[in-house]
Amino acid sequence: MDVELVVQDLEKRFGGVRAVDDLSFAVRGNELVGLIGPNGSGKTTTIDTICGLLRPSGGRISFQGRRVDHLPPYRRAEMGLGRTFQVTRVFRRMSVLQNLMVPAMATGETDRSRTETRAEEILEMLTLDHLGSENADSLSGGQRKLLELGRVLMLDPDLIFLDEPFAGVHPRLRGQIHSYIRRVHANGKAFVIVSHDMDSIFELCQRVIVMNEGRKIADGDPEAVRSEKAVIDAYLGEASEREQLEHVGSGEGPDA
Amino acid sequence: MYGADYLIAQAANGLVVGCLYALMAVGLTLIFSVLKVINFAHGEFYMVGGYTAYYMVTVLGGLHPLLGIFFAMIVLLGLGSLFEVAFLRPIHLGAVNRPAEYAILITFGLSFFLQNLVLSLAGPFPHRSPSFMSGGLTVGPVTISADRLIAAGLALVLMIALMLFIRATWTGKAMRAVSQDRDAAAVSGINPFKMNNIAFGIGASLAGASGALIAPIFAVVPDVGVLPSLRSFVIVVLGGMGSVKGALIGGVAIGLVESLGAALIPDPSRALAYRELYGLVIFVLVLLFRPQGLFGEKQ
Amino acid sequence: MQRNILALIMALFVFCSGRAASEEEPVRIGVVLPMSPPGAYASGNPMWWAVQQAVDEVNARGGILGREVEAVLGDTRGVPEEARAVTERLITRDRVVGVVGNYHSSCALAALDLFRDHHVPYIAAEPWADDVTALGYEEVFRISVTNSLYRDITVDWMISSGFESIAAVQEITDWGLGVNEKLTQAWNEAGIRNETAFTDVKTEDFTGTLLRFTQWSPPPDMLFGSITGPGAYRIIKQAYDIGLAPSPQTVFYATNECLHPEVWEVAGEAARYITVTQIGLPPFAHNMVTRQENARFEQEHDRTMNATVMEAYDSFMLMCEAIEDAGCAHPDSIIRALENIEWKGMRGTYTFPYGTDNPVPEDQPDYMWHQWPDVTLYLFQYTEVGQSPEEGTVIWPPEWSQLPEGQYYVPVPE
Ligand SMILES: Nc1ncnc2c1ncn2[C@@H]1O[C@H](COP(=O)(O)OP(=O)(O)OP(=O)(O)O)[C@@H](O)[C@H]1O
Ligand SMILES: [Mg+2]
């Protein structure tokens, strides 16, 4: 199925703070989009609002041709919107395998053994297979990131938001995640990846959206975006990221 | 000073009563774990359960006392679910300004309302359901009435059934997911409102079952739930807020502590006076040394 | 007597002449009772029904002072602070001319100074604490027994019965602690070995407590289950289930909660042979008023009036009578009228000999102030399952006892 997410004039205020301000963009087909911006620029808030955990202060969100801004998060999940969290949120007192079983409720897959087989496959791919019966509580930060990634894949959504999927993940694994994202992408799924790991963004994405202070300041081909003045200005305050912007592909990101 | 027979008799009584304590606490902890609401009306669900069983068995249907328990559970399941939809859902919809205070007030209000409603409907005098079975069982030094044994046995069965439900069914899994992380469960496609409703209904139903189980043993009055509800809070804190296993073990432990405390402390006037207080002492000790309880999670 | 009547006439003249009562307004009398939890609502409710019966009767025969009488209910919930608040509300907002009632001593004591400070007459229906009258307030009267009187009469029975050891389970309430203090003192003085286990009044399971007493060898001669509320019935059943009491070796002495028919529903077979106190006259000493009112009550509520319920009826009627005697609703006149009253109610003829003009003599205890001196109580045993208190066997005092001379209780058959 072709994906279509349209965000129009989206606004989210926290008291006086405009965390998301007049944001419009669309994701169509099985795009692989990077969403970047300095700390506090509103990336996570954007995801929270699109997937329904936060109520927008203004604007509209439609998914697959339907307005979803008044639907609860689980309805949006059922429609095919998946996400991971920047600060991992696994079900800590369940085993790793059980964690992956949770989204099966929503997909309507009631066959336990088929679900388990799929979950085991995903665990193997994420190199977590040896931890299947461990409590999620006992995982390291990086392993939890992977587990969350596995969980959103179990939901089998059409559009997946990944919020900092590489933070805390061992560099060796990062390549593996890249190839898994590509594989899923090849199956027709779309991604919006939020990351401070510019290597990964520029390696994976065909398109990059840049946010600053809640607003979209650039949107387009990665190479073109990187040289836009507004983007460089926005990152000026954050020297390290600016450096990254200039040295894409030639070094390790801060999350290494 | 006292013989082993005496201690065994005390322990057996504590064990049996502890199972009943546990059943009620298990309902309370289930509600807390999923809704993050402390249900101050839990004692009144217990009371209503007792009355439902009583009326079903004696007045309305002339049912077998064991069926009375079943009806009590159904009625409380309905009452609990309705109350959840009408009064607790606004909390989780974010429609309430001060959710913590609201939850306390609304469940406390329900407790007050139910006590007075039942007082005016059922009258001020106590009622006792007919026995499940007359007679008792004597093993060595221990004599326990059949009613108590049956009640404790059914309480155990219900608690094991609940644990199986939580572990082995999709709904149980979803409920655990919601209890551990509401938002993560929601974006994984689980309807947290439905889980709230189911959990509150089941929790209320278990309280109703405990009320129905004690109706032939202790009799029911409009305020019969007050002390059991306080005790359930102690058990839930002891077992770990939200831990079903903890509530089960905590309930039995409090039953044992109460009766062995009463048995062993040398000065009887003091020993027995604070029987209920032993629970509170444990409560304070837990808060000081293991705030997460026996099976709870560290915050 | 002569002097009293003179004083009464004087008082009527002095206080009533200046005040023309408004004809339309009903005469309002406050009634304070525990009607809902956590109070003893199982006693409070039937007490209130009895008051309503009294109101109906008074109004049917034309009210008092030619005006309708109205009972204004204040629910104390058995909580002293609430009793105080509700009493104050009755006095200041509802402007009642007098107050009757109370079940819990703690509630009466908490509101006692309000009667003094607002100068409103009060008749205590059921509170037993000596202090209610011992404090000597001009406004306060009592028609129930006092803790000390209760002790004197019941301990006499225990001594006569030859009890050598007594086990008691005592609720921790103002009432329970008050009774216990007096009883243990008397037991010790009489050389009766005794042990009290204190317990929360709402305890469901007394088994652990009772098991302890099963360890006595020989077993106690008497078990005192001093619990009010539904626990009163449970403790009987639980003591019986473990074979402690009532048994051939041990007499079970229960609270007068067990006057309610629910004792049979909850305790069943176990309650056969328990001993209960009734604060009033045994059935054969009942007068016409007792029979008449009781019959009416039974018709309406499907249960007989026990002594506590009669106290509610009598205290309300007594207040009405006093107002009628006074000829007006002025507090001084009502108090004067009460001090001079001689009125026959359900539980006997009420008088209050010790008051303003006749202080409590040296050789009488302080609580005799404004205390009905003829208040009495008797002990009876249920001998068959399902009996009403009237059908039980009277065992004490000896002048009323239905037992052969020298026997003081009906033993449980082996
Ligand atoms: N719940 C909230 N209440 C108040 N302000 C908030 C809340 N959540 C976010 N904000 C504010 O909104 C702005 C955007 O935050 P957001 O977390 O969306 O940024 P981000 O781009 O994800 O940042 P980072 O790169 O650090 O993850 C920040 O100023 C933040 O302080
Ligand atoms: Mg963020």
Side-chain angles (χ1 to χ4, degrees):
Chain A
M1 193 212 290
D2 260 0
V3 173
E4 190 194 46
L5 172 77
V6 182
V7 175
Q8 263 177 300
D9 309 326
L10 187 68
E11 194 181 307
K12 179 66 197 174
R13 288 187 301 265
F14 295 108
V17 181
R18 280 169 192 272
V20 177
D21 192 1
D22 210 12
L23 177 72
S24 299
F25 69 92
V27 179
R28 292 198 173 82
N30 68 335
E31 278 186 291
L32 243 169
V33 182
L35 177 60
I36 62 171
N39 286 110
S41 58
K43 306 180 294 290
T44 298
T45 308
T46 302
I47 299 180
D48 284 349
T49 317
I50 292 173
C51 75
L53 292 180
L54 291 175
R55 204 179 302 233
S57 316
R60 45 165 68 210
I61 304 161
S62 48
F63 184 61
Q64 312 297 51
R66 245 184 91 183
R67 272 197 73 167
V68 296
D69 21 289
H70 294 295
L71 293 181
Y74 62 90
R75 291 279 304 121
R76 302 189 204 189
E78 281 168 10
M79 288 174 67
L81 265 175
R83 69 156 307 169
T84 64
F85 291 90
Q86 179 170 9
V87 180
T88 51
R89 301 180 77 159
V90 296
F91 304 119
R92 296 171 55 188
R93 275 164 294 142
M94 285 192 200
S95 73
V96 168
L97 189 65
Q98 295 280 343
N99 260 271
L100 294 196
M101 306 285 275
V102 170
M105 286 281 293
T107 56
E109 172 63 270
T110 48
D111 186 315
R112 183 177 293 267
S113 65
R114 256 215 306 272
T115 312
E116 260 173 23
T117 316
R118 213 169 104 71
E120 274 155 9
E121 277 169 23
I122 288 180
L123 284 185
E124 199 181 324
M125 180 279 301
L126 294 171
T127 67
L128 291 175
D129 43 343
H130 61 294
L131 296 170
S133 55
E134 293 288 312
N135 242 15
D137 221 1
S138 63
L139 298 189
S140 72
Q143 287 168 329
R144 288 184 197 191
K145 279 267 161 210
L146 295 176
L147 176 56
E148 252 202 60
L149 184 61
R151 189 176 66 199
V152 71
L153 293 174
M154 283 295 288
L155 183 66
D156 197 24
D158 301 311
L159 172 57
I160 305 174
F161 285 88
L162 300 177
D163 200 348
E164 300 287 356
F166 311 112
V169 173
H170 195 278
R172 255 188 292 119
L173 264 178
R174 199 180 321 184
Q176 249 169 302
I177 296 177
H178 285 193
S179 64
Y180 198 75
I181 290 175
R182 287 206 184 88
R183 220 161 78 206
V184 177
H185 175 240
N187 285 339
K189 310 285 181 188
F191 282 88
V192 174
I193 303 170
V194 171
S195 184
H196 287 284
D197 176 358
M198 295 305 158
D199 288 345
S200 295
I201 291 288
F202 285 89
E203 203 180 308
L204 282 168
C205 301
Q206 308 137 343
R207 175 184 157 201
V208 173
I209 298 173
V210 188
M211 287 183 73
N212 189 28
E213 292 177 354
R215 292 171 164 273
K216 183 169 94 172
I217 54 169
D219 184 351
D221 176 76
E223 286 307 315
V225 163
R226 194 158 31 151
S227 50
E228 262 184 55
K229 185 176 179 312
V231 177
I232 293 166
D233 286 350
Y235 274 93
L236 264 179
E238 294 186 38
S240 66
E241 295 201 28
R242 181 163 176 247
E243 243 162 66
Q244 279 175 40
L245 269 176
E246 288 160 0
H247 298 101
V248 167
S250 62
E252 308 253 84
D255 297 330
Chain B
M1 181 176 60
Y2 292 116
D5 284 2
Y6 167 66
L7 292 183
I8 291 170
Q10 286 280 17
N13 185 56
L15 208 62
V16 164
V17 174
C19 288
L20 292 170
Y21 292 174
L23 180 61
M24 185 172 175
V26 160
L28 187 66
T29 215
L30 179 71
I31 289 173
F32 178 80
S33 80
V34 177
L35 287 95
K36 304 293 179 275
V37 160
I38 294 174
N39 176 26
F40 284 97
H42 210 60
E44 281 58 46
F45 289 159
Y46 167 92
M47 179 268 293
V48 173
Y51 272 99
T52 307
Y54 168 76
Y55 280 110
M56 281 293 168
V57 174
T58 59
V59 184
L60 297 181
L63 294 174
H64 189 273
L66 289 175
L67 272 181
I69 300 168
F70 178 73
F71 268 91
M73 292 186 70
I74 300 287
V75 166
L76 267 298
L77 185 71
L79 180 70
S81 314
L82 281 180
F83 178 76
E84 193 281 326
V85 172
F87 294 105
L88 296 181
R89 187 147 304 179
I91 298 176
H92 299 102
L93 286 170
V96 178
N97 272 339
R98 305 173 69 166
E101 289 89 338
Y102 171 84
I104 292 172
L105 288 178
I106 197 80
T107 57
F108 202 75
L110 176 69
S111 123
F112 188 79
F113 170 78
L114 286 177
Q115 275 192 28
N116 285 284
L117 181 76
V118 172
L119 178 58
S120 64
L121 290 181
F125 308 109
H127 290 299
R128 186 166 78 90
S129 299
S131 284
F132 300 126
M133 195 193 273
S134 59
L137 181 75
T138 304
V139 179
V142 186
T143 301
I144 297 175
S145 74
D147 278 344
R148 285 184 186 224
L149 275 181
I150 290 174
L154 283 178
L156 272 180
V157 167
L158 285 173
M159 287 186 284
I160 291 168
L162 175 75
M163 287 200 195
L164 287 178
F165 171 77
I166 291 174
R167 302 228 146 251
T169 66
W170 290 112
T171 309
K173 232 185 280 297
M175 235 156 63
R176 284 171 72 206
V178 171
S179 86
Q180 292 177 27
D181 192 321
R182 241 187 139 65
D183 287 346
V187 301
S188 301
I190 287 168
N191 180 350
F193 302 117
K194 193 166 131 197
M195 295 307 139
N196 282 352
N197 198 252
I198 294 174
F200 202 83
I202 292 179
S205 171
L206 291 178
S210 5
L213 286 173
I214 62 94
I217 303 172
F218 298 143
V220 287
V221 282
D223 58 341
V224 68
V226 174
L227 193 64
S229 135
L230 278 177
R231 190 188 289 115
S232 294
F233 295 138
V234 172
I235 293 170
V236 166
V237 170
L238 171 64
M241 305 275 285
S243 164
V244 169
K245 185 171 62 176
L248 202 173
I249 292 171
V252 173
I254 293 283
L256 282 173
V257 165
E258 278 189 8
S259 55
L260 289 179
L264 292 176
I265 295 190
D267 175 358
S269 65
R270 255 146 271 228
L272 306 169
Y274 305 114
R275 211 173 81 106
E276 271 70 32
L277 266 186
Y278 300 145
L280 288 182
V281 169
I282 291 180
F283 184 82
V284 171
L285 290 180
V286 168
L287 288 183
L288 284 177
F289 297 109
R290 201 178 155 82
Q292 74 274 27
L294 295 177
F295 295 93
E297 191 186 339
K298 274 204 185 92
Q299 289 306 313
Chain C
M1 202 63 194
Q2 200 84 59
R3 225 191 55 191
N4 283 351
I5 290 169
L6 209 71
L8 179 63
I9 295 168
M10 285 262 298
L12 295 187
F13 183 76
V14 172
F15 298 120
C16 297
S17 55
R19 297 162 64 102
S22 65
E23 296 292 318
E24 317 78 42
E25 281 252 312
V27 177
R28 283 200 202 89
I29 298 173
V31 180
V32 278
L33 289 170
M35 297 297 288
S36 53
Y41 52 85
S43 291
N45 281 276
M47 286 172 89
W48 172 238
W49 303 338
V51 168
Q52 286 170 309
Q53 182 167 319
V55 171
D56 288 349
E57 285 166 15
V58 173
N59 285 331
R61 51 170 211 241
I64 43 178
L65 307 175
R67 290 152 66 191
E68 202 178 316
V69 67
E70 187 189 326
V72 190
L73 176 65
D75 180 5
T76 67
R77 297 177 65 233
V79 180
E81 298 76 43
E82 288 193 38
R84 198 183 159 81
V86 86
T87 306
E88 186 146 33
R89 197 201 73 207
L90 288 174
I91 294 173
T92 57
R93 202 193 69 190
D94 299 310
R95 310 212 145 269
V96 296
V97 301
V99 176
V100 302
N102 267 321
Y103 177 88
H104 302 279
S105 291
S106 52
C107 288
L109 289 171
L112 214 58
D113 57 343
L114 292 173
F115 301 120
R116 184 194 55 195
D117 297 345
H118 292 274
H119 198 40
V120 172
Y122 164 60
I123 305 174
E126 170 67 359
W128 289 13
D130 288 4
D131 269 353
V132 171
T133 46
L135 290 175
Y137 290 173
E138 189 192 347
E139 296 78 7
V140 178
F141 296 78
R142 164 160 52 194
I143 61 170
S144 80
V145 77
T146 67
N147 278 343
S148 296
L149 276 169
Y150 171 80
R151 170 205 55 198
D152 294 348
I153 299 175
T154 56
V155 171
D156 274 353
W157 166 70
M158 293 166 198
I159 294 171
S160 300
S161 301
F163 296 155
E164 286 171 0
S165 60
I166 292 176
V169 182
Q170 182 69 61
E171 69 174 44
I172 308 173
T173 59
D174 282 5
W175 172 80
L177 297 176
V179 166
N180 186 255
E181 190 192 325
K182 298 235 182 289
L183 283 178
T184 43
Q185 197 189 346
W187 289 335
N188 290 337
E189 279 167 15
I192 298 173
R193 175 190 167 203
N194 65 88
E195 201 170 278
T196 303
F198 291 96
T199 179
D200 190 293
V201 62
K202 298 246 186 281
T203 298
E204 309 105 304
D205 192 16
F206 301 96
T207 306
T209 307
L210 297 167
L211 276 172
R212 199 169 171 126
F213 293 135
T214 60
Q215 297 299 294
W216 284 22
S217 176
D221 292 326
M222 185 189 103
L223 174 67
F224 182 26
S226 186
I227 309 290
T228 56
Y233 316 134
R234 285 199 290 263
I235 192 172
I236 298 170
K237 183 166 188 290
Q238 290 161 6
Y240 180 79
D241 281 350
I242 59 168
L244 177 61
S247 73
Q249 291 75 37
T250 308
V251 168
F252 195 113
Y253 179 46
T255 52
N256 54 348
E257 196 78 43
C258 299
L259 299 167
H260 292 285
E262 281 69 26
V263 68
W264 301 114
E265 184 175 339
V266 179
E269 172 70 21
R272 190 176 172 193
Y273 297 113
I274 61 168
T275 302
V276 188
T277 318
Q278 175 92 279
I279 315 295
L281 298 168
F284 45 79
H286 282 179
N287 59 37
M288 271 307 292
V289 188
T290 328
R291 295 208 185 91
Q292 212 173 303
E293 297 304 327
N294 215 351
R296 221 185 126 180
F297 190 88
E298 193 169 2
Q299 199 169 15
E300 195 143 334
H301 302 290
D302 206 25
R303 55 175 60 231
T304 56
M305 284 168 131
N306 62 42
T308 311
V309 178
M310 293 183 194
E311 282 168 343
Y313 176 89
D314 280 354
S315 59
F316 189 84
M317 274 303 196
L318 201 53
M319 186 62 83
C320 292
E321 286 300 321
I323 297 169
E324 190 75 48
D325 285 355
C328 72
H330 193 285
D332 289 317
S333 307
I334 298 173
I335 291 167
R336 275 303 156 126
L338 278 171
E339 286 186 338
N340 291 289
I341 210 156
E342 197 177 323
W343 176 76
K344 188 172 175 186
M346 291 187 75
R347 292 161 64 247
T349 300
Y350 292 98
T351 56
F352 300 101
Y354 304 117
T356 327
D357 296 322
N358 185 22
V360 183
E362 283 289 310
D363 62 340
Q364 292 279 346
D366 288 346
Y367 62 73
M368 288 307 284
W369 168 266
H370 284 185
Q371 165 74 37
W372 178 38
D374 301 330
V375 64
T376 188
L377 57 85
Y378 71 95
L379 273 66
F380 70 92
Q381 265 178 296
Y382 290 115
T383 49
E384 294 298 335
V385 173
Q387 274 179 335
S388 73
E390 291 75 30
E391 291 163 339
T393 303
V394 178
I395 61 171
W396 189 261
E399 60 265 35
W400 285 333
S401 174
Q402 295 169 325
L403 297 176
E405 181 136 5
Q407 193 188 333
Y408 300 102
Y409 57 89
V410 183
V412 178
E414 291 280 348

